Amino acid sequence: MKKIAIFGLALLVCGPLFASGKSQTVAPQLKIVNVGITNDPGTVSPLSVNNIMAYYASSILFMPLASEILDQDKAFVNRLAESITTEDNVTFTITVNRKVRWTDGVPVTADDVIFTMNTFSNPVVGISDPSTFKILLGTDESGLFPKGAEGIAGVKKIDDYTLTVETKYPLTLAIFNLNIGTPLRVIPKHILEKERPENILTCSFFQNPQVTNGPFKFKEYAPSQYLSLEANDDYFLGRPKIDRLNFKILSGAQIAAQLESGEIDMNYPGVGNIPADDYDRINSLPHIRTKRGDPSTVQVLFYNNRILDQVKVRQAMDLAIDRPGILRNIFKGQAFITKTPVSNRIEFWNEAAAQYTYDPERAKQLLAESGWDLSTKLTFLVPTGNNTRERVCTIIAENFKAIGLNVVMERADFPTTMGRIQKHDFAISIVGMPANPFNAIRNLRYYVDSHDAHTGYSNPKMDQILDRINTSVDSETLKAAYYEAQDLIAEEVPVSGIYSELVMRAVNQRISYGELSDFGALRDLEKWDIRP
């Protein structure tokens, strides 16, 4: 109750931040859209992202070269880049859009892009996950350039608005965009070059970034409460039609209640899910329009393979998960249930590998064969906020206990959970992993890459498969490699796919344009508007 009272006081103090369709506390001319989320971003710094909401938030403020969100033709949408091209799939030419300016009026140039790349790959900076840059000539397997070097050898400035990037091996343009085009949210060189590299992650700029280049500017962030952004008057595609965009950090139950009351205008699927039990209630609201999504974000059970280092133990745990019961009792049959950590929407989905079995007796036999010490305490780290996921995890914990495992659930907010996963400070955890429809290599890296996997999994055979995916430009070769990777995951169980909600998207009828769809949600924020 004390927390609720404090939160209520914060809203009274910051009341104008959260005007709803039913509130008269803000001047009528101020257009405000409030979005409900359950994942606290933790930061808006592109350099410190460790969860998907932080990724979204930083991408609104600091535009990437290309949008990860796909258009209807499954093609990347250029953002800061006017174009990204290649003639040989090794050298990629990036042309920066000359219309884009920082909010202090300074043009965004090739120097900003190169500075950002070199910051990510500088071993002195200490980025938690620079591995996406390991495809670039002049970086090691961690994505870092050598100590003492001035920058990435494969990155060259051509003129003020053009640069070339050379990779170690041939890549499709899609793979380049996934690894460089979309993760690289460009930061201002003229502001940050004065910072010592070892201090840049913690410098004051990222606590209150007032020089950005996206459709909205930073206004205020209150951890566990809200993130407030305001329109960028000088955005290169035109000033947004709404004046303020707020993300309210709520529980799933609060999202349903505030959709009903009008305190929020929409939920953000994937990072702001409505509990399945509230679907009927939200569907019945006359001021809300709803739509059910397709399988996209997959909830994936991460096993710390350094602790759970026996294949038979992980196989036993996977067999112990009552997926049929979860589908029946939690989702009333309306969800995508899987064994592998990808949905059926990826281009090369291996349906056979995704087939699951619930067999607790066989699970007990495998544990006995493995010689696992059943007294070993296994911490099941569960992120808070997503009510449905927490209910599913309670079921899974009981499933594990039923086969004799000593599982203890521990809850933490999402940024804390992700930080601990990255440090391997867990035995079991669960994360919602957004799926890219036509390429899943980024997520596979987190699951099974010997250099990068948050699971600690290491298998030379899998590394060879991932290398084929990364280096191939042939569709049939890619298909074979993806199928083999999914087969190996199903066999060795470094992770367990659990479910993908057919997430309900709910939007207040007062919003005339703007929906947080599965793909394309943030690419046209400048067009969002409210009915007169």
Side-chain angles (χ1 to χ4, degrees), residues 92-217:
F92 294 81
T93 301
I94 299 169
T95 303
V96 178
N97 192 317
R98 294 171 180 262
K99 296 179 181 179
V100 182
R101 293 181 175 271
W102 297 105
T103 49
D104 62 359
V106 175
V108 180
T109 68
D111 288 329
D112 294 302
V113 179
I114 295 170
F115 175 78
T116 305
M117 285 186 172
N118 287 334
T119 299
F120 268 95
S121 288
N122 190 335
V124 176
V125 172
I127 300 291
S128 63
D129 183 19
S131 61
T132 188
F133 292 91
K134 70 181 182 180
I135 65 172
L136 301 184
L137 186 68
T139 63
D140 61 19
E141 281 303 302
S142 297
L144 302 174
F145 60 71
K147 288 185 178 179
E150 294 184 0
I152 304 171
V155 177
K156 305 291 185 184
K157 178 180 177 180
I158 304 302
D159 58 41
D160 285 347
Y161 292 93
T162 312
L163 65 145
T164 60
V165 178
E166 187 175 352
T167 58
K168 296 175 183 175
Y169 35 73
L171 301 174
T172 64
L173 185 57
I175 292 288
F176 182 84
N177 269 321
L178 281 169
N179 283 277
I180 305 298
T182 62
L184 191 76
R185 285 136 294 149
V186 175
I187 57 179
K189 177 183 178 182
H190 68 288
I191 299 295
L192 292 167
E193 64 181 340
K194 61 187 177 183
E195 299 286 348
R196 295 177 62 87
E198 60 269 28
N199 297 332
I200 197 167
L201 288 182
T202 56
C203 72
S204 60
F205 173 81
F206 290 114
Q207 309 305 313
N208 184 24
Q210 292 301 306
V211 178
T212 55
N213 60 22
F216 286 84
K217 301 183 294 184

Side-chain angles (χ1 to χ4, degrees), residues 22-89:
K22 299 182 180 181
S23 172
Q24 301 299 319
T25 60
V26 176
Q29 68 272 18
L30 197 63
K31 295 181 177 181
I32 298 177
V33 172
N34 299 314
V35 179
I37 61 174
T38 55
N39 287 20
D40 188 336
T43 182
V44 295
S45 167
L47 305 180
S48 303
V49 165
N50 73 353
N51 68 81
I52 192 63
M53 187 58 217
Y55 182 90
Y56 292 152
S58 60
S59 297
I60 296 172
L61 297 170
F62 302 91
M63 283 194 299
L65 297 173
S67 176
E68 179 182 28
I69 318 258
L70 313 174
D71 67 16
Q72 293 179 348
D73 297 322
K74 294 185 177 179
F76 288 87
V77 179
N78 288 328
R79 276 290 172 264
L80 179 58
E82 184 176 278
S83 64
I84 302 175
T85 60
T86 182
E87 294 182 358
D88 59 5
N89 296 102

Side-chain angles (χ1 to χ4, degrees), residues 194-447:
K194 61 187 177 183
E195 299 286 348
R196 295 177 62 87
E198 60 269 28
N199 297 332
I200 197 167
L201 288 182
T202 56
C203 72
S204 60
F205 173 81
F206 290 114
Q207 309 305 313
N208 184 24
Q210 292 301 306
V211 178
T212 55
N213 60 22
F216 286 84
K217 301 183 294 184
F218 180 82
K219 181 173 178 59
E220 189 175 5
Y221 168 57
S224 301
Q225 296 181 50
Y226 59 83
L227 169 65
S228 183
L229 310 175
E230 57 186 354
N232 178 3
D233 293 339
D234 300 315
Y235 183 51
F236 83 110
L237 290 176
R239 185 192 189 280
K241 293 181 179 180
I242 62 172
D243 301 290
R244 196 170 298 162
L245 177 62
N246 298 318
F247 294 95
K248 295 184 68 175
I249 303 161
L250 308 165
S251 69
Q254 287 176 314
I255 285 179
Q258 294 199 18
L259 281 167
E260 184 172 18
S261 68
E263 293 172 83
I264 60 173
D265 297 295
M266 62 182 77
N267 68 309
Y268 198 150
V271 293
N273 291 355
I274 301 166
D277 287 347
D278 289 318
Y279 281 3
D280 289 343
R281 168 187 169 195
I282 300 301
N283 265 326
S284 69
L285 298 175
H287 66 285
I288 296 290
R289 63 179 183 268
T290 62
K291 183 179 180 181
R292 294 291 290 277
D294 296 315
S296 56
T297 297
V298 179
Q299 297 294 331
V300 179
L301 209 63
F302 281 57
Y303 303 114
N304 186 338
N305 287 229
R306 298 176 183 180
I307 297 172
L308 298 161
D309 56 358
Q310 296 185 52
V311 172
K312 284 189 175 182
V313 174
R314 300 194 301 270
Q315 290 172 337
M317 297 174 76
D318 189 80
L319 286 168
I321 299 169
D322 184 9
R323 293 180 178 89
I326 291 169
L327 178 62
R328 181 177 60 253
N329 298 320
I330 301 293
F331 298 106
K332 307 300 187 287
Q334 299 298 307
F336 172 79
I337 306 295
T338 181
K339 175 185 175 74
T340 50
V342 291
S343 82
N344 60 356
R345 297 184 71 188
I346 70 166
E347 184 175 7
F348 302 119
W349 179 55
N350 185 337
E351 184 176 3
Q355 300 305 306
Y356 54 87
T357 302
Y358 172 50
D359 191 343
E361 293 307 314
R362 176 58 180 154
K364 292 176 184 178
Q365 292 173 9
L366 286 172
L367 281 180
E369 292 171 12
S370 72
W372 179 261
D373 182 357
L374 295 177
S375 67
T376 303
K377 178 182 174 181
L378 299 174
T379 301
F380 187 0
L381 183 61
V382 178
T384 55
N386 184 326
N387 299 58
T388 301
R389 181 170 57 198
E390 290 185 61
R391 289 177 61 197
V392 169
C393 288
T394 299
I395 292 172
I396 293 174
E398 292 304 315
N399 293 158
F400 289 160
K401 292 176 184 178
I403 63 170
L405 293 172
N406 180 17
V407 172
V408 178
M409 287 185 66
E410 183 176 337
R411 291 176 169 83
D413 62 54
F414 201 81
T416 300
T417 298
M418 285 306 304
R420 288 181 57 180
I421 288 175
Q422 289 173 342
K423 296 176 183 177
H424 303 285
D425 181 20
F426 73 103
I428 312 159
S429 192
I430 191 168
V431 180
M433 301 294 290
N436 186 296
F438 70 101
N439 202 300
I441 185 60
R442 182 184 298 168
N443 287 2
L444 288 179
R445 192 175 75 238
Y446 294 136
Y447 305 144

